[in-house]
Amino acid sequence: MGRRVLKNRACGSIDVPWQRLDLDRHGRTLLNGQKPCVVWFTGLSAAGKSTIASLLERRLYAVRCHTYLLDGDNVRNGLNRDLGFTAPDRVENIRRLAEVARLMVDAGLIVLVAAISPFRVDRRAAREQMPAGEFFEVFVDAPLAVAEARDPKGLYRKARRGELPNFTGIDSPYEAPEMPDVRIDTVALSAEQAAQRVFDHLQGAGVLPA
Ligand SMILES: Nc1ncnc2c1ncn2[C@@H]1O[C@H](COP(=O)(O)OP(=O)(O)OP(=O)(O)O)[C@@H](O)[C@H]1O
Ligand SMILES: [Mg+2]
């Protein structure tokens, strides 16, 4: 990483230099033969991101891949518990998820991120901080009516009653990916078929151990 100096807005005029470490990502990767990367699931609430990402993680485990599933809901209970659902908070939510994912990739993991991540610009920023070919955007596509009919957490019902302001798809926008690496039509595919589709894509991209 050289001696790059990072912009840390909170530090004012004090430059925080990058500390170079002896063991780099390449070294860590040699241990297990997989290619660390980010697999980013985006889509409406109830589209199936967590369900499909979980199934995918089990499949990856079965072929001895080291993974971590960063689920937006879980991260909101810890690292991001100070954030709500306003537009600036959503931006910060995704920025932190992307930063944590990048650190985990540095540690040699295949990182699955399951988060609505409604804004294109934030997903692009998440992609741009990764080297080319190490970020896969998976669009978990379910029409609003389908997601709303599933509503496993009762969130759409609450949002329709006005109890959840800024709910994606209701009174906050969702910007669908224009060129996702994988698009999953969850009306046509079961969750298991969807997980297999993403697995096949990762295999084709040379991410999995030989
Ligand atoms: N083809 C499908 N793919 C994925 N999930 C499906 C499919 N068909 C039905 N479902 C159901 O839809 C629901 C999707 O819920 P899930 O929690 O995975 O959504 P999510 O995208 O993670 O939502 P949130 O953003 O609120 O966390 C589950 O109850 C799942 O069983
Ligand atoms: Mg989820």
Side-chain angles (χ1 to χ4, degrees):
M1 279 283 181
R3 294 299 296 174
R4 72 189 168 121
V5 173
L6 302 178
K7 289 196 178 8
N8 181 330
R9 276 179 236 135
C11 288
S13 59
I14 302 168
D15 287 339
V16 180
W18 183 266
Q19 175 63 52
R20 223 178 61 79
L21 306 174
D22 284 347
L23 184 57
D24 65 7
R25 195 174 104 178
H26 179 66
R28 291 184 201 104
T29 307
L30 290 177
L31 281 181
N32 59 17
Q34 69 187 29
K35 187 173 151 198
C37 62
V38 175
V39 186
W40 192 286
F41 292 82
T42 174
L44 291 172
S45 180
K49 302 177 296 296
S50 299
T51 304
I52 295 167
S54 256
L55 288 168
L56 173 64
E57 192 175 36
R58 288 170 63 160
R59 271 164 205 260
L60 292 171
Y61 184 86
V63 295
R64 307 184 65 83
C65 284
H66 296 256
T67 60
Y68 194 79
L69 171 48
L70 274 174
D71 195 280
D73 279 355
N74 296 351
V75 179
R76 276 189 179 279
N77 275 291
L79 176 67
N80 289 356
R81 69 179 166 209
D82 56 325
L83 301 175
F85 293 91
T86 61
D89 278 7
R90 284 177 186 276
V91 171
E92 179 61 10
N93 180 47
I94 298 308
R95 190 191 72 78
R96 289 185 200 171
L97 275 174
E99 280 290 337
V100 174
R102 187 176 62 80
L103 291 172
M104 288 185 165
V105 166
D106 210 33
L109 300 179
I110 295 172
V111 185
L112 316 181
V113 179
I116 297 173
S117 37
F119 303 132
R120 264 182 217 127
V121 65
D122 301 328
R123 297 194 303 265
R124 193 179 315 132
R127 180 191 286 274
E128 282 173 358
Q129 67 167 357
M130 298 301 301
E134 295 184 13
F135 184 99
F136 302 92
E137 186 176 54
V138 178
F139 177 25
V140 182
D141 195 358
L144 178 62
V146 171
E148 193 164 353
R150 290 179 185 157
D151 204 11
K153 298 184 245 173
L155 298 177
Y156 285 96
R157 267 166 284 155
K158 277 193 184 163
R160 290 292 184 195
R161 289 199 300 264
E163 293 168 15
L164 285 181
N166 304 313
F167 195 78
T168 300
I170 307 291
D171 56 352
S172 185
Y174 177 75
E175 299 171 356
E178 283 160 343
M179 292 216 304
D181 297 281
V182 184
R183 175 180 165 267
I184 301 293
D185 177 349
T186 64
V187 175
L189 294 182
S190 69
E192 287 79 8
Q193 288 169 327
Q196 186 64 47
R197 181 73 59 92
V198 183
F199 183 95
D200 291 345
H201 187 87
L202 296 178
Q203 195 157 43
V207 162
L208 310 185

